[in-house]
Amino acid sequence: DAGVTQSPTHLIKTRGQQVTLRCSPISGHKSVSWYQQVLGQGPQFIFQYYEKEERGRGNFPDRFSARQFPNYSSELNVNALLLGDSALYLCASSLPGEDTQYFGPGTRLTVL
Amino acid sequence: KNQVEQSPQSLIILEGKNCTLQCNYTVSPFSNLRWYKQDTGRGPVSLTIMTFSENTKSNGRYTATLDADTKQSSLHITASQLSDSASYICVVSDYGNNRLAFGKGNQVVVIP
């Protein structure tokens, strides 16, 4: 069984650039959540999407946006990158009615 | 504000020895508590999940305990192996908001 997949695995950007991260949930999972994990810290909630609608948003600036597609895959966009955006970005999916989340391997973003 | 505090922040143990990780939370109302294992640069993988009515749950050499009255949980690793070197994250589900509160993790290093 394929788990949650994310692409790319690593990414290097410079300040001010824009980035798009992609996530494919486990088959049958309709909910996708995005987390930012800075080195040495626990994951911080960014967004949750369910059935293509935003169901939750964490304390992140408007530079962060996301969307979910009809096939339940999702994209996370970050505009005007800052050095502090360097982190591991995790995507997690879950089944309808369950809050157990299955995490992908993450995308390591480095902003120079 | 919901909080999850983990201790110790990091520890080094000899291969074959046991260790116990602590998690204290203030999330209320409480739905369930999970322990995740996260290898460096990878996504978290679920080890155990407990509801408020469960006191202990095992997964191989990992045993989690929960005291919902004192809002404390522990994860005990028996006969540690080198592959146990990872960050162990305590995650508490907020029943009211259906949100997950993450601890910063316990960094465990097992040495031969």
Side-chain angles (χ1 to χ4, degrees), chain A residues 18-90:
Chain A
Q18 175 266 341
V19 68
T20 298
L21 311 180
R22 296 176 176 82
C23 170
S24 292
I26 293 172
S27 177
H29 288 198
K30 298 182 179 181
S31 177
V32 170
S33 298
W34 286 96
Y35 295 86
Q36 180 195 65
Q37 187 176 26
V38 175
L39 191 63
Q41 303 290 318
Q44 297 292 315
F45 173 72
I46 309 176
F47 287 109
Q48 182 187 29
Y49 276 78
Y50 178 72
E51 290 282 12
K52 301 180 289 295
E53 292 188 0
E54 182 182 303
R55 293 299 181 93
R57 172 187 284 258
N59 187 25
F60 279 81
D62 292 342
R63 299 185 295 108
F64 288 77
S65 63
R67 56 179 176 170
Q68 187 177 32
F69 299 98
N71 66 354
Y72 304 110
S73 66
S74 178
E75 286 182 352
L76 175 70
N77 296 285
V78 186
N79 294 323
L81 285 167
L82 304 174
L83 296 179
D85 295 332
S86 296
L88 181 68
Y89 287 85
L90 295 166

Side-chain angles (χ1 to χ4, degrees), chain B residues 57-83:
Chain B
K57 183 162 285 188
S58 293
N59 178 0
R61 295 180 296 101
Y62 301 101
T63 299
T65 65
L66 173 64
D67 186 335
D69 291 331
T70 61
K71 294 184 169 60
Q72 294 180 327
S73 175
S74 66
L75 181 69
H76 186 76
I77 304 176
T78 303
S80 60
Q81 299 177 359
L82 298 179
S83 59

Side-chain angles (χ1 to χ4, degrees), chain B residues 7-104:
Chain B
S7 63
Q9 182 177 8
S10 61
L11 75 161
I12 300 173
I13 59 174
L14 291 174
E15 185 179 12
K17 298 296 186 181
N18 305 333
C19 71
T20 300
L21 313 177
Q22 299 290 343
C23 173
N24 297 334
Y25 62 93
T26 59
V27 175
S28 182
F30 159 77
S31 176
N32 56 60
L33 184 147
R34 300 173 180 80
W35 283 93
Y36 280 88
K37 177 186 178 186
Q38 184 176 24
D39 293 317
T40 300
R42 310 295 295 272
V45 175
S46 179
L47 291 175
T48 63
I49 177 172
M50 291 182 291
T51 64
F52 67 90
S53 62
E54 296 176 295
N55 298 120
T56 184
K57 183 162 285 188
S58 293
N59 178 0
R61 295 180 296 101
Y62 301 101
T63 299
T65 65
L66 173 64
D67 186 335
D69 291 331
T70 61
K71 294 184 169 60
Q72 294 180 327
S73 175
S74 66
L75 181 69
H76 186 76
I77 304 176
T78 303
S80 60
Q81 299 177 359
L82 298 179
S83 59
D84 293 330
S85 296
S87 178
Y88 293 85
I89 303 175
C90 176
V91 184
V92 183
S93 180
D94 180 339
Y95 182 80
N97 296 324
N98 197 29
R99 288 285 181 87
L100 301 180
F102 288 78
K104 294 182 179 181

